[in-house]
Amino acid sequence: MREHFNKKEILEKLIPVVENTAMRYNLIPIEVSLEKENAHWFLRIFIYCADHPVSHQDCENITRGLGDFLDELIPFKYYLEVSSPGLNRKMKSVREYLIFKGKDIIVKVKNPLEGVDTKTIKAVLIDYREGQGLEIQTKEEGKNFLVPLDNIFSVRLDEDIKIKQNKGEDND
């Protein structure tokens, strides 16, 4: 016999538990999703920390902190994945726009902005204006623009990745 589960109701109960657990470790849950893939359920939690890059220890703290709470809230077998959002992850929520204010971003627009020749813009995220869009400052021109929400194709962090090779010599 197949049981029916309301995913939305389960997530409504899960999210406050995840947020409270993350708060204890000075972490912010960016996304909590419950998805079925190939007949298996996955609870995915993406976390962020303003003080340091997300570590394995942070992921382990969330996993252990949630402990038995999850089994009480999720009435079926599932796999838990806790990780950082990653450098190239597209921002998906207003919460992310607010968390990453002041950070370098890459905005892809559907239609070019007036005065900008490209659909891919390197900028600083100045603010999120509810119902209007993102206020950005372009890196090249230093001009401020309001990008309407319906003109945004994608937004992601623009992080320079510096890899230090460890071969007995310092690389700057």
Side-chain angles (χ1 to χ4, degrees), residues 70-139:
L70 296 180
D71 292 336
E72 292 174 17
L73 297 172
I74 304 174
F76 47 82
K77 184 179 176 189
Y78 64 93
Y79 295 94
L80 175 63
E81 296 177 358
V82 180
S83 66
S84 75
L87 293 176
N88 291 319
R89 180 179 184 275
K90 291 179 184 176
M91 292 186 194
K92 298 179 181 178
S93 67
V94 171
R95 180 180 217 168
E96 289 175 275
Y97 296 145
L98 297 174
I99 289 169
F100 295 117
K101 282 197 316 192
K103 300 285 187 186
D104 292 345
I105 59 171
I106 297 174
V107 180
K108 290 188 179 182
V109 293
K110 297 173 187 172
N111 301 302
L113 301 176
E114 189 173 322
V116 180
D117 297 334
T118 180
K119 289 185 176 183
T120 302
I121 306 163
K122 289 189 173 206
V124 174
L125 177 55
I126 303 297
D127 202 1
Y128 167 77
R129 294 189 189 169
E130 190 171 339
Q132 296 179 29
L134 296 181
E135 183 181 349
I136 64 169
Q137 183 178 64
T138 59
K139 297 292 275 186

Side-chain angles (χ1 to χ4, degrees), residues 9-10 12 15 17 20-21 30 38 49 62 69 81 92 105 108 125 130 137 139-140 151 164:
E9 285 179 8
I10 293 171
E12 285 174 357
I15 290 173
V17 174
N20 288 337
T21 301
I30 297 289
N38 298 324
C49 182
I62 294 294
F69 292 117
E81 296 177 358
K92 298 179 181 178
I105 59 171
K108 290 188 179 182
L125 177 55
E130 190 171 339
Q137 183 178 64
K139 297 292 275 186
E140 288 186 19
N151 192 27
K164 188 170 183 173

Side-chain angles (χ1 to χ4, degrees), residues 15 33 41 47 64 66 71 75 90 127-128 132 147 166-167:
I15 290 173
S33 68
W41 284 96
I47 55 175
R64 290 182 191 274
L66 290 171
D71 292 336
K90 291 179 184 176
D127 202 1
Y128 167 77
Q132 296 179 29
V147 183
N166 238 346
K167 295 184 180 178

